[in-house]
């Protein structure tokens, strides 16, 4: 047991498969442990590297295992897949995790703190409720459209549907009116929850210096700043801003071969929440520049003259990601490069 340097763990709800390997890569043990046996086993084991896939419950286990003195390494599941030999099972997965963790060029995921996961839950819950509200509104519009009640896709459209239901001679069956009012009650409940979660996010942002710093950049609002703080790892793990932009998936997808560079659309191989919010924020900057004008000769003006707006938005989002890396590593607020020039 003292010779074991890496233990690969295939996580599950109740049964955990562990694979111990020595420094030379040889197998030391293979064990199947229950949930109750897992932590006592690691507590008795000498300190070593514990490797797991960065999947559900991995960050919680990583924090608990780290308190025992072990070094925790989380690996993206797509990087482990290449090391699975033939058939997929728990033993093969645990062995593949151990093998992947022993590679010197392997990339790992930072273990999230309790605060990060708490804010991530708040952010994702609000996003889920917004999706459910949109789904409910669209369902109500679709049902009432069958009876000739048409409402546009907006809050004003919902008001029009409510007015049609409240009308005395609307010509709708009582069963339809009753069901539609159930939809409206559900939509009101979701709106109240969204409002409460938004207030919680705003209160969290007031106590966070990182959020206040990020909001100084044009195109970065409350949601984007909170998403970066909740989902992004410590910026010190990236050597440069381009690495952070690549981590977000804001770089071209490569299909290069034979010394020929073949670049396609953006890879989208990173954190989708931050990426989509940065692109949305970049589009808002472009919209404002189009409406109020932009300085002639600037980078943005030249790009808008030659390229489509969506392409310019993605390029601007890439630049924003690199600037965010610089802001957080240097602990500085946003400085307009054109103004500094």
């Amino acid at each position: 047991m003292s010779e074991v340097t890496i233990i690969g763990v295939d996580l599950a709800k109740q049964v955990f498969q562990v694979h111990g390997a020595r420094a030379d890569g040889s197998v030391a043990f293979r064990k199947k442990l229950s949930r109750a046996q897992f932590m006592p086993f690691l507590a008795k084991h000498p300190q070593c590297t514990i490797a797991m896939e960065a999947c559900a419950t991995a960050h919680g286990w990583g924090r608990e295992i780290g308190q025992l003195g072990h070094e925790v390494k989380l690996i993206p599941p797509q990087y482990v897949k290449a090391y699975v030999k033939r058939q997929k099972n728990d033993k093969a997965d645990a062995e593949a995790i151990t093998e992947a963790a022993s590679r010197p060029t392997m990339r790992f995921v930072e273990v999230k703190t309790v605060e990060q996961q708490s804010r991530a839950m708040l952010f994702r819950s609000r996003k889920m409720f917004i999706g459910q509200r949109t789904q409910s509104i669209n369902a109500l519009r679709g049902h009432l459209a069958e009876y000739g009640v048409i409402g546009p896709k907006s809050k004003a459209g919902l008001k029009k549907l409510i007015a049609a239901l409240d009308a005395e001679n609307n010509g709708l069956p009582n069963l339809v009116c009753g069901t539609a009012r159930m939809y409206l009650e559900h939509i009101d409940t979701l709106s109240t929850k969204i409002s409460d979660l938004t207030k919680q996010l705003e209160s969290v942002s007031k106590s966070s210096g990182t959020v206040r710093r990020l909001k100084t950049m044009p195109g970065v609002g409350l949601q984007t700043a909170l998403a970066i703080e909740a989902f992004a790892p410590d910026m010190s793990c990236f050597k440069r801003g381009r690495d952070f932009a690549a981590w977000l998936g804001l770089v071209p997808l490569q299909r290069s071969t034979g010394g020929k560079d073949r670049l396609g659309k953006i890879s989208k191989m990173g954190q989708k929440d931050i990426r989509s919010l940065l692109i949305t924020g970049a589009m808002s900057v472009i919209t404002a520049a189009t409406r109020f004008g932009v300085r002639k000769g600037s980078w943005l003006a030249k790009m808008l003259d030659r390229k489509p707006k969506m392409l310019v938005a993605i390029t601007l989002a890439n630049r924003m990601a690199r600037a965010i890396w610089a802001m957080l590593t240097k602990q500085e607020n946003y400085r307009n490069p054109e103004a500094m020039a």
Side-chain angles (χ1 to χ4, degrees):
M1 296 287 284
S2 60
E3 299 176 355
V4 175
T5 57
I6 299 179
I7 297 178
V9 182
D10 183 48
L11 295 173
K13 293 182 179 179
Q14 301 297 335
V15 180
F16 301 86
Q17 183 72 37
V18 295
H19 179 97
R22 302 183 180 90
D24 59 356
S26 59
V27 180
F29 61 82
R30 292 188 178 96
K31 292 180 179 291
K32 182 182 290 186
L33 304 174
S34 66
R35 190 180 185 91
Q37 296 172 335
F38 181 56
M39 287 303 291
F41 171 79
L42 295 181
K44 296 178 182 178
H45 197 281
Q47 294 183 3
C48 62
T49 300
I50 309 297
M52 301 176 289
E53 287 183 330
C55 57
T57 71
H59 292 279
W61 285 116
R63 290 192 295 268
E64 292 189 30
I65 295 172
Q67 294 177 358
L68 300 176
H70 297 290
E71 181 184 5
V72 179
K73 291 185 176 181
L74 302 183
I75 311 173
Q78 60 268 32
Y79 293 167
V80 176
K81 186 177 180 180
Y83 295 92
V84 177
K85 299 175 182 177
R86 289 184 178 271
Q87 304 298 327
K88 183 188 183 303
N89 52 60
D90 292 347
K91 289 183 179 180
D93 289 345
E95 182 179 356
I97 293 170
T98 306
E99 183 67 24
S102 64
R103 298 298 91 197
T105 58
M106 181 55 60
R107 297 176 180 176
F108 301 99
V109 178
E110 295 287 330
V111 179
K112 294 185 182 296
T113 63
V114 176
E115 291 75 15
Q116 279 183 306
Q117 286 198 293
S118 300
R119 293 175 182 180
M121 180 179 178
L122 199 63
F123 182 89
R124 288 265 169 84
S125 299
R126 180 180 179 275
K127 183 178 179 181
M128 180 189 69
F129 288 145
I130 291 175
Q132 290 179 353
R133 182 177 64 179
T134 303
Q135 181 186 24
S136 300
I137 293 174
N138 290 338
L140 179 60
R141 288 178 56 251
H143 288 308
L144 294 182
E146 298 292 336
Y147 298 92
V149 180
I150 307 298
K153 298 179 181 179
S154 62
K155 291 183 178 179
L158 183 61
K159 293 179 180 178
K160 185 176 180 180
L161 297 180
I162 296 174
L165 290 172
D166 292 339
E168 295 182 358
N169 299 322
N170 52 24
L172 297 175
N174 293 333
L175 184 60
V176 173
C177 291
T179 307
R181 296 192 186 282
M182 292 175 62
Y183 271 96
L184 294 176
E185 291 177 2
H186 182 58
I187 292 169
D188 289 339
T189 302
L190 291 173
S191 299
T192 302
K193 292 180 180 179
I194 293 169
S195 179
D196 293 340
L197 290 175
T198 303
K199 292 179 181 178
Q200 293 184 43
L201 290 174
E202 291 174 351
S203 63
V204 168
S205 66
K206 293 179 181 178
S207 60
S208 174
T210 301
V211 173
R212 290 195 299 270
R213 174 171 288 111
L214 291 174
K215 288 172 65 177
T216 60
M217 174 182 287
V220 176
L222 175 63
Q223 300 299 322
T224 306
L226 285 171
I228 293 172
E229 188 180 40
F231 300 117
D234 188 357
M235 292 296 168
S236 61
C237 68
F238 301 107
K239 292 183 180 180
R240 58 186 69 86
R242 292 182 179 180
D243 294 341
F244 178 56
W247 181 80
L248 291 175
L250 288 170
V251 294
L253 182 65
Q254 296 192 34
R255 300 186 184 275
S256 305
T257 183
K260 297 181 180 179
D261 294 334
R262 297 176 181 175
L263 305 180
K265 300 179 180 180
I266 58 173
S267 65
K268 297 183 180 181
M269 292 183 179
Q271 219 291 326
K272 61 181 180 180
D273 296 288
I274 302 176
R275 180 177 63 249
S276 61
L277 287 170
L278 282 178
I279 294 175
T280 302
M283 185 58 74
S284 68
V285 173
I286 293 173
T287 302
T290 304
R291 180 179 302 176
F292 302 108
V294 62
R295 188 175 66 84
K296 293 183 179 180
S298 63
W299 173 86
L300 185 58
K302 294 178 180 178
M303 288 291 292
L304 289 174
D305 290 339
R306 297 184 292 110
K307 301 293 183 179
K309 287 186 178 181
M310 179 52 70
L311 191 147
V312 178
I314 295 174
T315 307
L316 181 58
N318 182 291
R319 293 168 64 97
M320 291 169 62
R322 290 154 58 182
I324 287 170
W325 176 86
M327 290 166 58
L328 296 182
T329 52
K330 297 179 181 179
Q331 297 296 311
E332 297 179 359
N333 290 342
Y334 177 76
R335 293 182 295 177
N336 190 341
E338 295 182 4
M340 294 299 296

